[in-house]
Structures are given as structure tokens and as C-alpha cells.
Amino acid sequence: MITISDVKKVFKTKSGSLTAVDNVNLEINEGEIFGVIGYSGAGKSTLIRMLNGLEQPSEGKVDINGKLISSIRGGDLRKARQKISMIFQHFNLLWSRSVKDNISFPLEIAGVPKQERLKRVNELIELVGLEGRGDAYPSQLSGGQKQRVGIARALANDPEVLLCDEATSALDPQTTDSILELLVDINKRLGLTIVLITHEMHVIRKICHRVAVMEDGKVVELGDVLDVFKQPKEQITKRFVQQVTEPEETKETIAHLLEEYQDGEVVKLTFVGESAGQPVVTNLIRSFDLQVNILQGKISQTQHGAYGSLFIHLHGKPDELARAIEFLQAASVGVEVITHD
Amino acid sequence: MIEQIFPNVEWPVMWEATYETIYMTVISVVITFILGLALGLLLFLTSKGNLWENKIVYAITTAFVNIFRSIPFIILIVLLIPFTRFLLGTIRGADAALPALIIGAAPFYARMVEIALREIDKGVIEAARSMGAKVSTIVMKVLIPESLPALISGITVTAIALVGYTAMAGVIGAGGLGNLAFLDGFQRSRDDVTLAATIIILVIVFIIQFFGDFFTNKLDKR
């Protein structure tokens, strides 16, 4: 569906040249929700802008559905853009137009007759759940409603691809979730391929099928969301995964626990997919002569299943402890013995 | 009552002068709006980081705008005498004032247009591009509507400046209230004529300001 091959983007600045995107290769499948995560300045914004030709790559090719976006220009590019929609962090609605007229704008650009435009606009308003707000102006809407208008506008011309540029970063957590649910719904209902960039692992966890992690213009890690959660390889990926699995205070808590429980072991168990549903702790208590103390735990849902982490403290005879840890490792859960350091 | 306050005013002459002032103002405002908008759009589009980024065109347009904006109006009128004579065959009358009025005001308005367009959120222009809009569509459906309140308040300020310019143009024979106040009022020491002309000019200015504010507020949906 989308093939990005050997793409490089160099910006010339006064103080020299800056490589924003450095030799990126990606293959995005049809109907997939593909996430690109990275901190600001990682090059993800530039990368997504090369998918609709708002930026031209310095080197390499971008191919969407057989169209070479990186080399077409003028009318061909404008035509192609009608099928590659985009939504934005700051919504970018026209304040001078009502909700209806904003949604109608891309249809006007595509030259759709007025009667059809009206019909389509009403369908879209219903699709994104903005019934009754059609005549309001953007300034009268909340952030979440504005993004719904943005999404309706992006869907107007039946696109094949939807690009989301930090689409939820300006929204509060609850509104973020409702917008993400809407995106999943659209993805399922219309079979739309969605490419999104974000700096929030929460967004990736909640809706993406696959994820690419970007750092300094390069894709440093790529894979199914669940796999990346299970075994993050790069340091940066681990940090992103921790955003979701380990709340801010976890580190402090763990340090505190290690102080408190001088004997025995503090163990971090990670559950992925199937194993998240198994009664591992119950089995542990039944099978071994140990005291098991649950310290902290969390389970997160991804598009492909659950992912969770649990911190427990085990107290007992050393050989019993060693056998218990072996048992846990065999039970297809991730086991990490936290040590004093 | 009015006869006593304005004993020397010949009202038919005063109304004739009022008509000339309004005529000069309206025609020059309309043409200034069109020309200034075009120049302002050119300035904006060719400036750095915009759709038609072009250093040379931008530099030439800027130089043109700056030069004509800096020449004092009374000198501009004199400088343009040969041009006006070539264009209209005469340098007297209301029509003869129009070239100087427009050339004096359009660059001034062009700058205001450029400032108004710069205030538009870059993201909105990017959004229009991402939908496959042509530059002409972006100009007509994004740039002008999104900056309309600022464009209207700009033309209001320009129109009021133009009323002042018409009075100056009157001094060199273009007619209108300025001409009347200067020749009939000042030079013949009839203060009541000057006063009456001034009051009428004030009323015209107030009316322009009122409608300018009204439309600016009405169009602003932010």
C-alpha cells in the first residue's frame, strides 16, 4: 500500500544542513493502523509530510498505491492528495466557515456539485457524531469537537489513506480516547489505512497494529505493537513502553520497596496476550512454600491483546525461591528480578 | 438659524463640493482596494516560506511599495502631473485627482493586506494544500475569507486617509470640499465656509468608520 524506500530529507539552514529524515525504509499495509513514535525533532513530522507531498524527499521514493508521490507534481499531485487526507494537532479549521462549510471545503476543491456536497456533509456529520452542530463556527466548539470536524473533513473525498499529525496531542486524556475510538471505528468500517505520528505511547498502545520508533531521523525499531511492548530492544523504546506500563511514580516505589524488603526477591512479571489471562500468581502460591506479596500491577489493552506488568515480592527459602522463578519463566511470562543497585 | 451661523455658505455649491469629495473617495477606495489587495497578495505569496516564494519579485514589489508610500502626498500629486495629463488630457477636476489618490493609497493598503495575511495560521494554508487545493483556490477560499475582518478594517483606515488626501488634491484644483474650504473659505476669509466644509468631512469620516467597524465585527467569527 505505502512503500517508503531509502527516503532522506536534508534541510539547508544558515548554520549548515540538517538531516531530518535519514534513510528510512517502511512498508505499510492496506487497512493497517501504523504508528510512528518519537520525541520532537526525531523527524516524524517531516516523514509524514512526505507521504502527501507537503515535503519532497531529498533522496528516495514514496509510493502510495502505485503512485510515486515523491516525483509527481502540479495537477497530478493535487489529485493524489484528495485521496491522502490529513488531520492536524491544531485542527487547522477555517474559522470563517461553519462546521458544514468546513467539511464541504475539500468537496469544493474536488469539484463536487452542490447538491451532492450537502448530502455528503450530512452523512459525515453523522459519522463523526456532530449532529446538530453543523451551523456552529469552530470558535464555538470544544477541542474534541474541532478534531471531529477535522476528521469529517478528511474523510469527505473517500480517501485511501488518513495521515494523523499528532492528532490527539492537544486534547485532554478523555477526549483523546474518544477521538482514538473514532479512528479505530473508521479504520474498521471503511477499511482505511491510517498512518499516525505521536509522542504518546498511550496512542500507539490503544489503536496501532504496528509501530516504528524514530530517533534522530532514523527508524530504530519496528514491529507489531504487542511485540514491541513485550521486548523493547532499544533504550528509547523501553522509555516509551514505560510511559504506559510503569507510571511515573513506579521507579520511586520500587526503590522504596527494595529498601523495605531486604530479604527475598522483588520480581517484575510481564504478561503479554494469552498469559495475561492466566492465574499465574494463584499457581505460584499453591505450588510453592512462599509468601507472595503483590506490590503493584497494571494491565493495558492493545489492538492485538493485553499487556501487563506486575511487581511482586517473594519471601522464602533460597532454593524454593529459585524454583519459583524457574516456574514463572516456564509459564510464558516475562520475569525480571529487580536487584539492589 | 442655519443662515445665521453660515451666512456666506452657498449651499448648492457646498453640496456640489460634497458630491465631488464623495465621488473621489468612493472611486479611489474601490480601485485602491483591488490594487492594494493584488499587491498585498503578491507581497505575501512571494515572501519567504510561502507558496510562490521568490526573492526577486518580493524585493521589487517591496521597493515599489516603499517608494510610493514614502512620498508625501502633496509632492506625489505634483510629480504625477505629466502622467495624469497623459492619461486624462487634463490636470483639473475630480477625475484628475484619481491617479494620485490611488497611487498614493494602494501601496499603503498593500502593506496592511500583507500584515493581515501574515496573521493567518500557517496550518490552515497547509491543510488546504493537503486537500489538493490550487493556489488560486487557496487565495479565494482561504486567504481572503480568513483575513477579511483585517482587510475591511484596513480599507476603513485607508478610506479615511483618502478623504484627507482628496482635500489636499482639492488645493491643486480637483474640486471637492478641500478646494472649497481653501479657496472660498480660507482665501476669502469666510470662516463659516471652512467650518461647514470641515463638519461635512467629519460626518463622512464618521460614516466610513461606523460601517467599517460594523462589517469588521459582523464578519469576525473567531
Side-chain angles (χ1 to χ4, degrees):
Chain A
M1 176 75 188
I2 303 176
T3 311
I4 301 169
S5 29
D6 304 319
V7 161
K8 199 168 180 178
K9 177 72 185 182
V10 183
F11 288 109
K12 299 248 180 313
T13 59
K14 273 182 188 148
S15 52
S17 59
L18 178 95
T19 309
V21 173
D22 197 0
N23 264 315
V24 168
N25 286 286
L26 286 175
E27 186 84 38
I28 297 166
N29 306 319
E30 189 160 1
E32 182 171 45
I33 304 182
F34 189 90
V36 178
I37 192 167
Y39 292 110
S40 52
K44 55 193 195 308
S45 259
T46 309
L47 182 68
I48 202 170
R49 274 170 178 69
M50 288 193 280
L51 298 184
N52 61 0
L54 287 176
E55 296 280 359
Q56 299 293 344
S58 312
E59 283 172 38
K61 284 179 192 151
V62 176
D63 182 304
I64 296 184
N65 246 355
K67 275 202 199 84
L68 215 53
I69 300 298
S70 50
S71 57
I72 56 174
R73 295 280 187 279
D76 289 341
L77 179 58
R78 289 198 298 269
K79 194 101 194 123
R81 279 177 181 163
Q82 293 175 8
K83 295 288 171 197
I84 310 165
S85 291
M86 195 166 191
I87 58 173
F88 304 87
Q89 179 173 7
H90 298 295
F91 325 121
N92 297 350
L93 304 177
L94 295 159
W95 62 256
S96 58
R97 287 176 171 237
S98 66
V99 168
K100 277 183 181 162
D101 292 344
N102 261 294
I103 300 172
S104 183
F105 187 39
L107 297 166
E108 289 169 30
I109 291 171
V112 176
K114 188 162 187 201
Q115 216 51 40
E116 246 171 89
R117 284 206 305 261
L118 291 174
K119 193 169 150 270
R120 184 85 184 113
V121 166
N122 286 328
E123 286 169 14
L124 288 160
I125 284 184
E126 203 170 311
L127 179 73
V128 298
L130 282 175
E131 293 95 337
R133 302 296 281 152
D135 294 316
Y137 282 86
S139 62
Q140 300 164 315
L141 302 177
S142 69
Q145 289 174 324
K146 282 183 195 162
Q147 196 57 289
R148 281 170 193 269
V149 179
I151 292 170
R153 180 174 75 173
L155 297 177
N157 281 320
D158 290 316
E160 290 154 358
V161 181
L162 178 65
L163 308 174
C164 308
D165 178 13
E166 297 273 8
T168 56
S169 301
L171 302 173
D172 61 63
Q174 227 170 353
T175 316
T176 295
D177 284 354
S178 76
I179 292 293
L180 293 178
E181 275 157 28
L182 177 62
L183 288 176
V184 173
D185 182 49
I186 289 164
N187 167 259
K188 283 193 184 136
R189 239 197 296 178
L190 310 175
L192 193 66
T193 308
I194 298 179
V195 181
L196 62 86
I197 63 170
T198 183
H199 62 269
E200 296 169 308
M201 200 60 182
H202 169 75
V203 172
I204 302 283
R205 185 217 98 205
K206 201 145 176 167
I207 71 169
C208 292
H209 302 126
R210 284 198 304 150
V211 60
V213 183
M214 274 189 90
E215 191 178 25
D216 295 332
K218 294 188 180 72
V219 171
V220 294
E221 196 157 345
L222 172 72
D224 286 344
V225 169
L226 208 53
D227 292 339
V228 169
F229 265 89
K230 190 159 55 177
Q231 281 174 325
K233 292 187 193 74
E234 301 292 325
Q235 201 50 44
I236 181 173
T237 317
K238 284 179 188 158
R239 284 221 300 278
F240 278 123
V241 171
Q242 278 170 6
Q243 272 183 18
V244 175
T245 55
E246 293 170 32
E248 278 292 295
E249 64 272 24
T250 301
K251 250 194 184 143
E252 287 169 39
T253 317
I254 302 298
H256 181 72
L257 291 172
L258 288 173
E259 285 296 306
E260 205 163 310
Y261 299 98
Q262 287 293 340
D263 40 279
E265 300 279 13
V266 174
V267 178
K268 178 189 175 190
L269 306 177
T270 44
F271 304 87
V272 175
E274 293 265 295
S275 66
Q278 286 173 19
V280 179
V281 176
T282 311
N283 291 344
L284 183 72
I285 297 170
R286 281 187 187 149
S287 319
F288 299 94
D289 180 22
L290 287 172
Q291 283 175 23
V292 177
N293 204 354
I294 294 175
L295 305 173
Q296 184 168 22
K298 185 171 177 168
I299 286 191
S300 316
Q301 211 65 35
T302 74
Q303 284 293 307
H304 286 319
Y307 170 86
S309 64
L310 181 68
F311 288 89
I312 55 175
H313 175 248
L314 302 176
H315 186 72
K317 290 192 185 98
D319 57 329
E320 193 75 353
L321 258 177
R323 283 199 301 126
I325 287 165
E326 258 172 55
F327 162 80
L328 287 170
Q329 275 159 346
S332 78
V333 292
V335 181
E336 190 184 337
V337 178
I338 313 270
T339 48
H340 302 261
D341 51 13
Chain B
M1 170 69 180
I2 286 176
E3 297 286 312
Q4 283 161 0
I5 303 173
F6 303 107
N8 298 315
V9 175
E10 292 167 51
W11 292 104
V13 177
M14 186 62 77
W15 297 137
E16 175 68 25
T18 306
Y19 168 76
E20 284 166 356
T21 293
I22 293 173
Y23 171 81
M24 285 189 280
T25 308
V26 169
I27 304 282
S28 59
V29 165
V30 170
I31 301 176
T32 296
F33 180 74
I34 296 165
L35 264 177
L37 188 59
L39 267 177
L41 279 166
L42 189 64
L43 279 172
F44 175 74
L45 290 172
T46 57
S47 63
K48 200 170 166 3
N50 281 298
L51 295 164
W52 286 347
E53 182 173 344
N54 186 322
K55 271 191 189 139
I56 296 164
V57 176
Y58 184 76
I60 293 171
T61 320
T62 297
F64 175 83
V65 164
N66 284 346
I67 289 167
F68 282 96
R69 214 164 51 120
S70 339
I71 301 174
F73 185 66
I74 196 81
I75 295 170
L76 187 68
I77 299 173
V78 178
L79 285 176
L80 285 175
I81 285 175
F83 176 69
T84 308
R85 185 175 285 139
F86 166 75
L87 210 65
L88 298 163
T90 177
I91 57 158
R92 299 195 59 82
D95 283 333
L98 292 176
L101 289 172
I102 292 159
I103 293 173
F108 175 69
Y109 184 53
R111 276 287 178 222
M112 291 197 195
V113 171
E114 190 195 4
I115 293 166
L117 295 173
R118 273 202 202 144
E119 292 294 309
I120 298 173
D121 183 0
K122 283 266 183 301
V124 176
I125 299 170
E126 189 182 49
R129 287 179 64 209
S130 81
M131 291 175 216
K134 285 186 284 200
V135 174
S136 60
T137 311
I138 293 177
V139 168
M140 298 309 292
K141 297 200 167 187
V142 178
L143 297 182
I144 294 178
E146 291 284 296
S147 63
L148 203 52
L151 296 181
I152 300 287
S153 61
I155 200 66
T156 309
V157 173
T158 311
I160 289 167
L162 273 168
V163 173
Y165 287 177
T166 65
M168 255 188 265
V171 175
I172 60 122
L177 290 165
N179 184 48
L180 191 71
F182 184 67
L183 292 181
D184 232 32
F186 175 70
Q187 292 199 332
R188 294 166 78 175
S189 296
R190 292 168 170 176
D191 290 345
D192 59 325
V193 175
T194 312
L195 181 66
T198 309
I199 290 171
I200 295 172
I201 287 178
L202 276 178
V203 170
I204 294 173
V205 168
F206 286 158
I207 291 172
I208 294 173
Q209 188 67 55
F210 173 79
F211 280 106
D213 290 346
F214 176 78
F215 285 115
T216 304
N217 291 331
K218 187 150 184 77
L219 290 166
D220 203 339
K221 301 285 194 331
R222 274 171 291 199

